[in-house]
């Protein structure tokens, strides 16, 4: 027989928790509120179980919970995104529940359910990465790689923003126009996710001031993802 480990997550409001996973295509296989809370859902070859927090313990609003390894992380993100849009009328990007952003080439994303459980969905065979940025890079390109890791792997947008702003102060004067534009685009993306319209407008202005070829602009738009593609591909 093959051993099987099943994550047991905090149930909180079990009704809303199970409703959330139903919307994502999970089948509810157990729902119990008395004499104690217990719920279970299944999808494909994995299951998630939910219990009440132990007496006397106050859990944080959000907490790491489980890793889910999949064969096609991009397809899974697209599936979850479509399901959440259909259920909520929009893609929840802040608070609980939410789903983190996804770009071409990304190998993981995080799903946060209504009670704050994190399900980090990871591509099987995900390559190793260097915290702090690739050792093969230097200057602003290394800063950009570090910010990507902070944003996509650590889900720490604040740290990614600080890294980029510091990197621009240190290396912006000697960086190529394309790398400066990539940094501005990344900061605009982070401002968009934070719903900070003032900072978004600032970084868009900085980006627009950089002289780029049409090929460079299109390449940066592809890297930035859907949030910025409209103004990144716009022509003067």
């Amino acid at each position: 027989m093959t051993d099987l480990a099943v994550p047991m997550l905090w149930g909180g409001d079990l009704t809303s928790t199970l409703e959330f996973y139903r919307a994502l295509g999970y089948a509810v296989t157990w729902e119990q509120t008395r004499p104690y809370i217990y719920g279970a859902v299944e999808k494909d070859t994995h299951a998630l179980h939910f219990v009440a927090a132990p007496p006397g313990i106050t859990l944080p609003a959000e907490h790491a919970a489980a890793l889910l390894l999949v064969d096609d992380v991009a397809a899974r993100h697209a599936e979850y995104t479509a399901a959440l849009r259909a259920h909520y009328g929009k893609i929840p990007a802040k608070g609980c529940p939410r789903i983190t952003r996804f770009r071409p080439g990304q190998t993981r994303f995080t799903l946060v359910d209504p009670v704050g459980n994190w399900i980090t969905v990871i591509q099987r065979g995900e390559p190793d990465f260097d915290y702090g940025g690739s050792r093969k890079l230097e200057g602003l390109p290394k800063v950009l790689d570090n910010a990507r890791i902070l944003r996509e792997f650590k889900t720490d947008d604040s740290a990614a923003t600080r890294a980029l702003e510091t990197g621009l102060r240190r290396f912006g004067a000697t960086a190529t126009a394309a790398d400066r534009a990539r940094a501005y685009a990344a900061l605009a993306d982070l401002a968009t996710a934070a719903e900070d319209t003032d900072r978004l407008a600032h970084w868009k202005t900085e980006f627009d001031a950089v002289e780029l070829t049409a090929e460079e602009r299109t390449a940066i738009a592809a890297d930035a993802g859907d949030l910025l593609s409209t103004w990144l591909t716009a022509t003067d």
Side-chain angles (χ1 to χ4, degrees), residues 10-205:
W10 179 41
D13 181 346
L14 186 62
T15 299
S16 64
T17 300
L18 297 182
E19 178 186 5
F20 174 79
Y21 286 97
R22 279 194 184 98
L24 292 173
Y26 284 78
V28 174
T29 57
W30 197 267
E31 183 174 2
Q32 172 184 308
T33 56
R34 294 182 180 180
Y36 53 85
I37 291 175
Y38 202 97
V41 298
E42 291 185 5
K43 180 178 174 64
D44 301 324
T45 60
H46 70 278
L48 303 171
H49 289 205
F50 304 93
V51 297
I57 294 180
T58 301
L59 294 174
E62 297 181 16
H63 37 279
L67 303 179
L68 174 60
L69 303 181
V70 299
D71 292 327
D72 189 337
V73 69
R76 186 61 60 93
H77 187 272
E79 175 190 344
Y80 284 170
T81 297
L84 291 172
R85 183 188 287 113
H87 185 68
Y88 293 103
K90 63 178 184 179
I91 301 172
K94 296 187 68 176
C96 299
R98 71 176 183 278
I99 189 170
T100 58
R101 306 184 304 289
F102 193 85
R103 296 169 183 77
Q106 193 168 322
T107 56
R108 64 171 64 188
F109 67 90
T110 299
L111 184 73
V112 184
D113 72 15
V115 295
N117 294 308
W118 283 38
I119 311 298
T120 301
V121 185
I122 302 175
Q123 178 77 42
R124 280 194 179 90
E126 178 186 74
D128 294 333
F129 53 89
D130 295 322
Y131 283 111
S134 172
R135 298 174 185 175
K136 299 177 181 179
L137 301 173
E138 59 183 19
L140 194 54
K142 185 170 184 177
V143 172
L144 286 161
D145 192 52
N146 181 40
R148 176 187 65 84
I149 292 166
L150 290 169
R151 183 180 61 231
E152 298 176 4
F153 293 87
K154 302 295 289 182
T155 62
D156 192 339
D157 283 8
S158 295
T161 298
R162 291 193 299 270
L164 287 165
E165 290 177 343
T166 300
L168 280 168
R169 288 194 294 270
R170 291 184 61 192
F171 306 113
T174 57
T176 66
D179 284 338
R180 288 201 313 277
R182 287 187 176 90
Y184 297 145
L187 284 163
D189 184 29
L190 290 161
T192 300
E195 299 180 357
D196 189 332
T197 55
D198 290 339
R199 291 179 70 82
L200 172 60
H202 170 74
W203 294 119
K204 182 180 184 300
T205 299

